[in-house]
C-alpha cells in the first residue's frame, strides 16, 4: 500500500491530488485577474479634488508654455542680476573713482551712479542668459518628449555656444562646453 501511495504521488497532479505551482500563484496574485484599484484621493482618505474648469486648464497650459517660462526666467534673471551687480559694486573698491584723478575722493552720487550702471549691466546679461537657457531647455524638452538631465546639458551647450560665438568660433565651442558642464553639475546636484 505504501508503494502504491508513493507511485501516485510521483505520478503528478490528478483531479484527486492537484499540486499548486508557484507560477499559478503568481498568475493569480499579479496576473489579469487582479482587480484594479481606484487611487483617487477620496478613496485613499484624502480630500476629493473637484474637476478642473476650462479656465483653470487654459491657465495651466499658459503657465507650462515655453513663452511663459522664458519670460519668467528673464524677469528672475533681471532681478537676480541687478542685485548681484549692486552687491559686487558695493564690494569693489574702485567704484566711483576717476582714473584721471586717483587722489580725488568720489562723492556718494558718483558711487551710486556706478553701482546703478553695474547693476543694470548685470541685470541685462542675467536676463538674456536666463531667457535663452529657459527657452532652449523648454523647446528641447518638448521636442524630445522626455524631462531629464540631458535637456539642461543640451540647452547649456546651445546657450553657452550662442553667447560665446559672438567672440569667435573657439569661444563658442568653449562656451558650449562650459555651460553644458555647469548645467550637468547643477542637474546632478538638484536631482
Amino acid at each position: 500500500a505504501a508503494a502504491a501511495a508513493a507511485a501516485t504521488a510521483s505520478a503528478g497532479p490528478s483531479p484527486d491530488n492537484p499540486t499548486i505551482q508557484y507560477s499559478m500563484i503568481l498568475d493569480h496574485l499579479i496576473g489579469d485577474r487582479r482587480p484594479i484599484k481606484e487611487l483617487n484621493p477620496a478613496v485613499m482618505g484624502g480630500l476629493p479634488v473637484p474637476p478642473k474648469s476650462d479656465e483653470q486648464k487654459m491657465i495651466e497650459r499658459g503657465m507650462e508654455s515655453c513663452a511663459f517660462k522664458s519670460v519668467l526666467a528673464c524677469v528672475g534673471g533681471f532681478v537676480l542680476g541687478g542685485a548681484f551687480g549692486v552687491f559686487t559694486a558695493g564690494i569693489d573698491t574702485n567704484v566711483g573713482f576717476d582714473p584721471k584723478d586717483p587722489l580725488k575722493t568720489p562723492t556718494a552720487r558718483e558711487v551710486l551712479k556706478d553701482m546703478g550702471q553695474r547693476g543694470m549691466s548685470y541685470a541685462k546679461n542675467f536676463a538674456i542668459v536666463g531667457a535663452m537657457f529657459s527657452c532652449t531647455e523648454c523647446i528641447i524638452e518638448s521636442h524630445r518628449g522626455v524631462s531629464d538631465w540631458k535637456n539642461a546639458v543640451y540647452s547649456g551647450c546651445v546657450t553657452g555656444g550662442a553667447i560665446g560665438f559672438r567672440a569667435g568660433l573657439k569661444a563658442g565651442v568653449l562656451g558650449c562646453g562650459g555651460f553644458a558642464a555647469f548645467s550637468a553639475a547643477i542637474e546632478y546636484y538638484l536631482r
Side-chain angles (χ1 to χ4, degrees), residues 68-90:
F68 180 79
K69 289 178 180 179
S70 297
V71 168
L72 189 65
C74 183
V75 171
F78 188 84
V79 170
L80 185 67
F84 189 69
V86 169
F87 176 74
T88 57

Side-chain angles (χ1 to χ4, degrees), residues 133 137 148-157 179-180 183-184 187:
F133 183 85
E137 184 179 31
D148 61 359
W149 61 273
K150 292 178 185 177
N151 296 335
V153 172
Y154 297 150
S155 179
C157 181
F179 264 72
S183 299
E187 284 294 314

Side-chain angles (χ1 to χ4, degrees), residues 85-162:
V86 169
F87 176 74
T88 57
I91 294 175
D92 191 3
T93 57
N94 294 327
V95 172
F97 281 102
D98 186 8
K100 296 175 187 170
D101 189 13
L103 297 176
K104 179 184 173 233
T105 303
T107 64
R109 177 173 288 177
E110 292 170 342
V111 171
L112 291 174
K113 181 180 174 189
D114 279 357
M115 288 175 78
Q117 288 174 344
R118 186 179 293 189
M120 186 57 72
S121 173
Y122 276 52
K124 286 190 260 183
N125 289 334
F126 274 54
I128 290 169
V129 170
M132 284 178 64
F133 183 85
S134 179
C135 184
T136 55
E137 184 179 31
C138 185
I139 290 170
I140 290 170
E141 183 177 327
S142 299
H143 179 71
R144 290 183 67 222
V146 178
S147 178
D148 61 359
W149 61 273
K150 292 178 185 177
N151 296 335
V153 172
Y154 297 150
S155 179
C157 181
V158 170
T159 303

Side-chain angles (χ1 to χ4, degrees), residues 14-26:
S14 66
D16 298 333
N17 185 17
T19 58
I20 297 177
Q21 296 179 354
Y22 184 69
S23 61
M24 291 172 55
I25 295 172
L26 280 179

Side-chain angles (χ1 to χ4, degrees), residues 152-177:
V153 172
Y154 297 150
S155 179
C157 181
V158 170
T159 303
I163 291 171
F165 191 67
R166 295 185 298 179
L169 181 62
K170 185 177 179 182
V173 171
L174 289 173
C176 170

